[in-house]
Every structure is written in structure tokens, then in C-alpha cells.
Amino acid sequence: MRIVIAEDNVLLREGLVLLLTSDGHEVVAVADSGPDVLPALLEHRPDAAVLDVRLPPGFRDEGLRAAVEARKQLPGLPLLVLSQYVEETYAAELLAGGAGGVGYLLKDRVSRVDEFLDALARVAAGGTALDPEVVSQLMTARRDPLRALTPREREVLGLMAQGLDNATIATTLVITERSVSKHIGAVFAKLGLPPSDSGHRRVLAVLAYLNS
Amino acid sequence: MNEATRRGTEALRRSGDATRYLVGGLGTGLPALLAIGPVLVFLALLAFTLPWLPDAVKPLRALAGMERRRAARRLGREIPEPYGTADVKPEDARRLLRSPALWRDVAWTLAHGFTALVAAVLAVGLWPAIPFSFSLPLWWWAAPEGSQSAFVTLDSWPKALTLPFLQVALDAFLLLWLVPRLARWQALLAEALLRPTRRTSLTERVEQLTETRAGALEAHGAELRRIERDLHDGTQAQLVAAALRLGLADRRFDADPDAARALFLEARDGVEEALTDLRTVIRGIYPPILSDRGLAGAVRALAAGRPIPVETDLTDARAPAAVEAAAYFVVAEALTNVAKHSGASRAWVTVRRDGALLRIVVRDDGKGGADAGRGSGLAGIRRRVAALDGATRVDSPDGGGTTLEVDLPCGS
């Protein structure tokens, strides 16, 4: 994959480049400040971009704003946003467009190299990757509507909201794929959502419901 | 009753009230009169009597207190006490000497002691003087040497038939015009001398500020110690343990790659835990979303992540970082309270800049009955707000919803 990285911390940037190139990807551009992000993305039109939320000069949410703007100009551009902390508002903003190919992860997750690369691949393929912490924040905040769910169904919903597909959920929970789809069916029924197949649409449906 | 009669009775009633007030003035006036001698002697011999000053002040203050309350009722406005603290300790003698309140109490004692009796006698004496004057024509001729008026000798019928009426007119004028004013002057005298001077009010304000500042410094100190402890016992220790495992893994790498690998993974877990702790600490110091989105954005995000609908009315005005952090904390804590205890179905959050104040209002339609004494959440809010010299008001009638109002000074 051709990848653009936006990260101002030199050590982390070099680490990301090393990690991605060692996995066989090509880092076509790196940006180290907010205003550089959009031009780099527009020029290279990469297969995926990894962006930090806080970037110079303001160290506020330049990265996130650049990401939202880039998606406006290049619809469907796969973006994986990394942050030092999770904020469900940001996740909602990224997902607001409605299309897939978006990820929002804690920076810590980079240390789980396989999971990180997996999330990036999912995003590049048009899927969704949400940090488990964002999901748990959403779940805590919206406990009431979820009261009807069984603990197992809640678990499945959580993994589903992170962007995992049925097969992965089945492996994670050590159950059959058939029971996963049965749980998902029950969740959709209890939350009053029409069933659908593709990963990111499921996440969006869940998020849309949770944020309503 | 025609207009003139009504006004006449009204004037008489006022005069009667004033007379009663002036007679009541004897209650403090006579003790004050009796006190003048001892007070002057005490002050003249101050070099010797100083150690007894704190004891001597108490009855003086009690007397002044009675008059303060009496005058306050008459004037219809409160007269606050000028004394910093209620009880006086023996070692305070020298401090007392320098306090303006003491000298003003003494001045009032002298002034009131000399005037109260005169005023009361005058007011009371004017009432029987009227029938007395009217009765003069009936019996002046019988009196020896024919002289029974206050100023003039009555010794002929023409005088006896005119002078009493002049006298009644003067009497009535004094009763209706002077007596109410006397009462008012007495009350104003008490107010002028017994209320705190501008300087004492300022002193009190400074004392209060010193106190809240001390509270703020203490809260700040406790906060620093907490952060230090969290970083030292949590994050730092975890990182040391992780580094230790990496060192061990390095030593074992050639001999036992599997054990080394397990150590690497343990080290990674340790680092991840340390990062989680670090995030919590950072959030406690200054919520990152505040610097990203400002107060309005941060509060909007707080409101969005709630199980019940929260309506917001926010202005984008910025405030100093400490004030914004406190405001964020107040709204977060208040909304948590609403979710946990109120049973409300809706909540409203208003944050606006009102001149030098940042005003926060969090309202819900829950069951009310919130008690600042019980809930640790409200107590935390109060403490945090007081540390910034702000004000917290809670209105929570049973069954009537809860309104929390917080004013935070922005210092500009």
C-alpha cells in the first residue's frame, strides 16, 4: 500500500515508517504539521493515511480537521487517525460522512503491531476500526438503551462496533460464526435496526443509534 | 373623613411612633449615660487598665448591639456589625485599641448618653403640654401672681385668651415636625457610628480573600502531591518494571529465545498500562479536549455523551485556563450527579461570560432534594469553585428539579 503519515513526534514518525515499510508498505510522504497534511494527501492520493490528531502549529486538533477536510475533497480516502486519548465526539465527527474507510485508535495500539496493521488493512479496504475504549465510552454513556441486551450480545455489539467481522468475532469469543450472526440478529432486533452485512455499515448503524 | 383630618391623624400617629422610639431610647440611653463616667475614667487610666479592656468591651458591645438592632428596625435596613470576630480574647487588648470600631462605640456612648434623655423628656413632655395650654384660660386668674405660661406671665384676659393658642401652635409644631426628626436623627446617629466603616469592610474582604486564597493554595498543593504520587507510584514504577524485563530479555535472548519473547510481551503490557495511567493523570490535570475545542466545544462533547438529552446554551468567550478547567469539572460532575441521583428525563446547561464572571447553570427536571452536605459530588464542586473565589448556589426543592448555579470570577 502507498501510505501518507502525519505525525510531528520524530521518534514515533520514524517508528511508524519502520513498522509500515517492514510490513511491505510504501510510505510516500510524511507531514509534520497541520497545514502540510492536506496538500500531501491531495498530491499523493495514497491508499491509506495515518494521522495524528494534535499537530503543530496549534497542537489542538489540526490533524482531525485535516482528515475531515480531506474526506470532503477525496470521498472514501481511507484514514486511520491516531490520538493520545480517545474522545467519542471525534469518532462521531470522523464517521459523520457515513462512508467507511475510517479508523480512530489510541496511539498505544501501535505497540500491538499485528492488531495495528490489521486495523489499517481493514480501513484501507473500506472498513472501520474503532478503538475499544471509544466503544466502551459509548457503551457506558448509553447504557440505558442497551439494557435489553444480554451480556454476550453486548460483547458482540462491542466487537462489532470496533469494526470486526463475524469470523473475527467468533475467533475472539471462541464461539461459532453461526451463533455470532444469531447474536447480531438479536441485537439488531432489540435495537430496532434492519440487519445489514458490511462491517462499517453495521458500525455506523450502531453509532447512529447510540448517538441519537 | 376628609383629606385634612386624615393627614392630621397620620402626622399624629407618626409623632406618636417617634415618641415611643425616643422613650425606647432610654433603654440604651440611660445605661450609656451611666457608662460615660466609668468609660472616661477607664480611658484616662488606660496605661493601667489596658489588660481589662477585652472584658470592658463586652458590655459596651452588648449595649451598642441593642441600639444597632433598634435603629435597624426604625430605618428598615440592616446595620452590620463592625467587629471582625464575635468573641474577644484577652490577648487582643492592643489590637482592640487600634480598631476603629472601639472608638466609634465610645463616641456613640458619649453622644447617645448625653442626648437620649433630653430627647425622650422633650418628646414625652410635649404631649401633656397641649391640654395644659388649653386649660390656662380657665384658671390663670386663680393662680397667685397670675403667671402660669412657660415664657410669658399671664396677668390679663387678653393675654390669657391669645397666648395659650400661640403656645399650642408652637407645641403642635414641635410635636409634629421636630419629634419625628429627633427619632430619625437618633437612629441615623446610631447607624453612622455603629456600622462598619468602609475600611473595616475592606479589611473583612481582604481577610476573606486571604482565606479563600489559602484554601486555593492548599487545594493546589494537594493536587500537586496527588499528581506526583500517581506518576511516581504508578507510571514510573511500571516503566521501571518494563525496562527491567527488557534488560532480562536481552540477557536471555541467545540462551532461551522463548523466555525472552515472553519477557518482551510482559514489558509491552507494562508499558501499555503505564500509558493508560498517564492518560488518566493528564485528564486530571487539564482535560485535553479543552485545549482542542475550547470550553464550549468541551461542554458540548460532555453533553453529547449522556444517557439523557442535555440542551446546551453556550457562548464561545474564553476564560483563563484554570477557570475553564474548573467550569468543565463543574459541568461534568453536575451532569454525572443528574444521571446518578436525580432521575431526570432532561437537563439544561448554560455557560456564559457575564462581564468579569463566568456563569454556569446546570438544571434538570428530576426529583430534587439534592443535599450539598451529603453528596461528595456537590461538595467537590463547592471546594473547587471556592478555591477560585467563586460562588455556588444549589436550589433543589423536593420534587421540583435541581438547579446548580456557579459564578467563577475571570479576573478581568
Side-chain angles (χ1 to χ4, degrees):
Chain A
M1 277 196 281
R2 299 170 62 251
I3 294 169
V4 167
I5 295 176
E7 165 63 59
D8 58 306
N9 183 303
V10 182
L11 281 178
L12 190 54
R13 193 168 63 222
E14 296 307 316
L16 280 171
V17 172
L18 188 68
L19 194 158
L20 291 170
T21 47
S22 73
D23 195 50
H25 299 296
E26 187 195 348
V27 177
V28 291
V30 290
D32 58 4
S33 83
D36 297 343
V37 179
L38 198 56
L41 290 175
L42 294 178
E43 188 195 328
H44 295 281
R45 300 188 173 238
D47 300 319
V50 178
L51 310 169
D52 185 12
V53 170
R54 279 199 193 185
L55 289 172
F59 292 102
R60 290 170 63 136
D61 52 359
E62 287 85 350
L64 189 77
R65 287 177 199 278
V68 171
E69 184 57 36
R71 294 271 293 189
K72 259 188 220 152
Q73 301 200 20
L74 297 174
L77 174 71
L79 294 174
L80 179 58
V81 172
L82 296 180
S83 172
Q84 211 69 263
Y85 62 98
V86 296
E87 179 61 57
E88 52 175 281
T89 315
Y90 293 174
E93 280 168 25
L94 278 171
L95 292 164
V102 179
Y104 178 59
L105 292 181
L106 269 179
K107 268 189 188 168
D108 308 10
R109 308 293 174 213
V110 178
S111 71
R112 306 258 164 188
V113 177
D114 291 343
E115 286 173 34
F116 173 71
L117 288 174
D118 184 50
L120 184 64
R122 218 155 66 221
V123 168
T128 314
L130 272 195
D131 199 278
E133 266 202 41
V134 178
V135 175
S136 77
Q137 265 189 32
L138 288 168
M139 300 277 247
T140 330
R142 305 284 163 178
R143 186 156 288 145
D144 271 358
L146 303 181
R147 206 163 21 195
L149 304 187
T150 66
R152 188 27 75 86
E153 285 165 1
R154 225 170 291 162
E155 252 176 313
V156 172
L157 175 63
L159 293 171
M160 219 164 79
Q162 285 172 37
L164 301 182
D165 58 22
N166 291 13
T168 323
I169 296 176
T171 331
T172 315
L173 296 178
V174 205
I175 50 176
T176 63
E177 264 196 73
R178 261 193 55 170
S179 47
V180 171
S181 18
K182 222 179 70 195
H183 287 311
I184 293 177
V187 169
F188 280 143
K190 286 183 184 175
L191 298 185
L193 293 167
S196 119
D197 291 332
S198 80
H200 70 267
R201 273 172 64 200
R202 301 193 311 189
V203 175
L204 289 180
V206 172
L207 279 177
Y209 178 75
L210 294 177
N211 277 326
S212 67
Chain B
M1 207 189 304
N2 66 33
E3 181 64 16
T5 337
R6 202 190 54 75
R7 282 176 55 184
T9 28
E10 176 60 18
L12 268 179
R13 197 192 52 74
R14 264 207 308 275
S15 181
D17 275 353
T19 307
R20 266 196 297 284
Y21 181 77
L22 289 171
V23 172
L26 291 176
T28 49
L30 291 179
L33 184 61
L34 293 175
I36 288 174
V39 164
L40 291 179
V41 171
F42 191 96
L43 291 179
L45 301 175
L46 204 53
F48 309 100
T49 54
L50 184 62
W52 291 283
L53 185 60
D55 291 317
V57 156
K58 280 174 196 163
L60 197 60
R61 285 195 177 175
L63 193 65
M66 279 169 63
E67 181 71 3
R68 200 177 287 119
R69 286 187 293 278
R70 219 171 61 85
R73 272 198 303 278
R74 174 95 196 152
L75 296 172
R77 54 181 178 248
E78 208 187 329
I79 305 177
E81 289 203 358
Y83 322 116
T85 47
D87 40 275
V88 190
K89 291 183 285 295
E91 61 270 22
D92 286 344
R94 285 181 179 283
R95 193 179 57 78
L96 264 181
L97 269 189
R98 284 194 306 271
S99 82
L102 172 77
W103 299 104
R104 288 156 62 85
D105 278 359
V106 168
W108 168 81
T109 310
L110 299 182
H112 191 61
F114 281 122
T115 56
L117 185 61
V118 179
V121 167
L122 185 69
V124 172
L126 285 172
W127 292 90
I130 293 177
F132 173 77
S133 301
F134 275 127
S135 71
L136 274 175
L138 303 179
W139 52 271
W140 69 273
W141 44 267
E145 303 180 25
S147 63
Q148 289 317 316
S149 176
F151 310 111
V152 196
T153 311
L154 294 189
D155 46 15
S156 66
W157 275 106
K159 276 185 183 174
L161 286 176
T162 52
L163 279 175
F165 291 95
L166 287 176
Q167 214 166 287
V168 166
L170 176 67
D171 220 42
F173 168 75
L174 290 178
L175 253 186
L176 299 180
W177 187 87
L178 181 66
V179 168
R181 272 166 189 73
L182 271 184
R184 187 171 169 73
W185 290 335
Q186 195 173 67
L188 286 176
L189 174 80
E191 186 190 40
L193 286 174
L194 298 181
R195 72 155 175 243
T197 57
R198 203 176 136 68
R199 223 178 106 190
T200 38
S201 314
L202 277 178
T203 313
E204 238 170 61
R205 176 81 184 122
V206 168
E207 269 168 24
Q208 190 200 340
L209 281 178
T210 313
E211 213 171 275
T212 52
R213 186 175 150 72
L217 284 177
E218 200 171 301
H220 186 64
E223 193 69 4
L224 281 181
R225 282 193 296 280
R226 188 185 61 75
I227 294 167
E228 189 271 340
R229 213 171 38 237
D230 285 355
L231 288 178
H232 181 264
D233 297 349
T235 318
Q236 205 173 16
Q238 266 160 347
L239 288 174
V240 169
L244 183 76
R245 283 186 166 75
L246 288 175
L248 281 175
D250 180 35
R251 280 172 63 102
R252 295 229 192 142
F253 194 70
D254 294 322
D256 187 354
D258 284 345
R261 187 188 170 83
L263 284 166
F264 278 134
L265 293 179
E266 276 177 40
R268 185 180 67 184
D269 287 347
V271 170
E272 283 178 355
E273 251 175 74
L275 285 169
T276 308
D277 285 358
L278 205 50
R279 256 197 309 277
T280 318
V281 174
I282 290 170
R283 243 184 236 278
I285 299 172
Y286 189 76
I289 192 168
L290 263 182
S291 52
D292 284 3
R293 291 292 164 93
L295 184 57
V299 169
R300 219 168 275 132
L302 268 182
R306 298 288 144 176
I308 59 164
V310 179
E311 248 173 66
T312 54
D313 177 6
L314 313 163
T315 46
D316 270 321
R318 303 296 312 244
V323 176
E324 290 198 340
Y328 182 82
F329 173 83
V330 166
V331 175
E333 195 64 35
L335 286 179
T336 304
N337 277 349
V338 169
K340 264 203 218 155
H341 308 299
S342 75
S345 64
R346 299 186 71 77
W348 294 264
V349 177
T350 311
V351 179
R352 54 177 72 245
R353 182 80 184 255
D354 189 357
L357 283 183
L358 189 70
R359 307 199 103 121
I360 304 159
V361 181
V362 181
R363 194 158 60 82
D364 68 55
D365 63 353
K367 62 181 171 358
D371 182 2
R374 272 188 306 127
S376 61
L378 273 179
I381 290 176
R382 259 184 215 286
R383 233 190 347 268
R384 192 120 178 192
V385 170
L388 292 171
D389 199 30
T392 311
R393 287 178 298 276
V394 181
D395 181 26
S396 186
D398 273 322
T402 301
T403 305
L404 170 79
E405 283 180 41
V406 167
D407 292 347
L408 291 168
C410 300
S412 60

